Amino acid sequence: MEISDGKVVSIDYTLQNDGGEVLDTSDGRDPLSYIHGIGALIPGLESELAGKSAGDELDVTIPPENAYGVRHEELVAVVKRSQFDNNEDLEVGMQFQVQQDTGTRIFTIKKIEGEDVTLDGNHPLADMTLHFSVKVLEVRDATKEELEHGHVH
Ligand code: ZN
């Protein structure tokens, strides 16, 4: 069975950056299962997987535009510590969700200097060319319920 829209696909994968550093992997964990064609994966990886079958292995390089996008410097902002609830506990690396017109965006604290807190709303993998090694383990039809829910059961 070939991967196409509405199939449930299970893959093993390893994600590396340009420097060969492993950013994420299913090695030692359960495989990743997703419904193909509903935007569950980054666009570049979905398009590479289309038409593949169980047992296929692929190495793909995906530019930022087809991965997590390019950085937008306007998503970096400096705000005052006093604008946060529980502002005693702020630490670099903390993440929180902010509701915006375009949906929910995750901001990460990049820097804290006195009262100034620097926030970055870019995806941590923005601007990165990603290298995926993928092995397709299983391809099956999604159930009606899975398609309705938008996730794998
Ligand atoms: Zn469900």
Side-chain angles (χ1 to χ4, degrees), residues 145-146 149-153:
E145 201 181 17
E146 285 173 324
H149 289 197
H151 57 236
V152 177
H153 287 164

Side-chain angles (χ1 to χ4, degrees), residues 62-104:
I62 300 173
E65 310 84 73
N66 289 327
Y68 291 97
V70 294
R71 276 185 67 80
H72 295 281
E73 288 312 317
E74 65 269 26
L75 291 176
V76 178
V78 180
V79 299
K80 294 295 173 197
R81 180 186 280 267
S82 56
Q83 290 181 248
F84 293 86
D85 300 331
N86 305 321
N87 57 47
E88 305 290 303
D89 301 328
L90 297 181
E91 279 177 38
V92 170
M94 279 177 139
Q95 295 188 316
F96 41 92
Q97 297 189 344
V98 177
Q99 287 294 339
Q100 297 185 315
D101 298 342
T102 50
T104 304

Side-chain angles (χ1 to χ4, degrees), residues 6 14 20 28 31 35 44 48 58 66 100 121 126 128-129 131 134 136 141 149:
T14 296
I35 300 175
E48 293 283 353
L58 53 158
N66 289 327
Q100 297 185 315
M128 285 194 198
T129 296
H131 305 271
V134 179
V136 180
D141 288 317
H149 289 197

Side-chain angles (χ1 to χ4, degrees), residues 35-57:
I35 300 175
H36 195 84
I38 62 167
L41 301 186
I42 55 171
L45 190 53
E46 274 212 340
S47 61
E48 293 283 353
L49 281 164
K52 300 290 189 294
S53 310
D56 285 348
E57 297 186 44

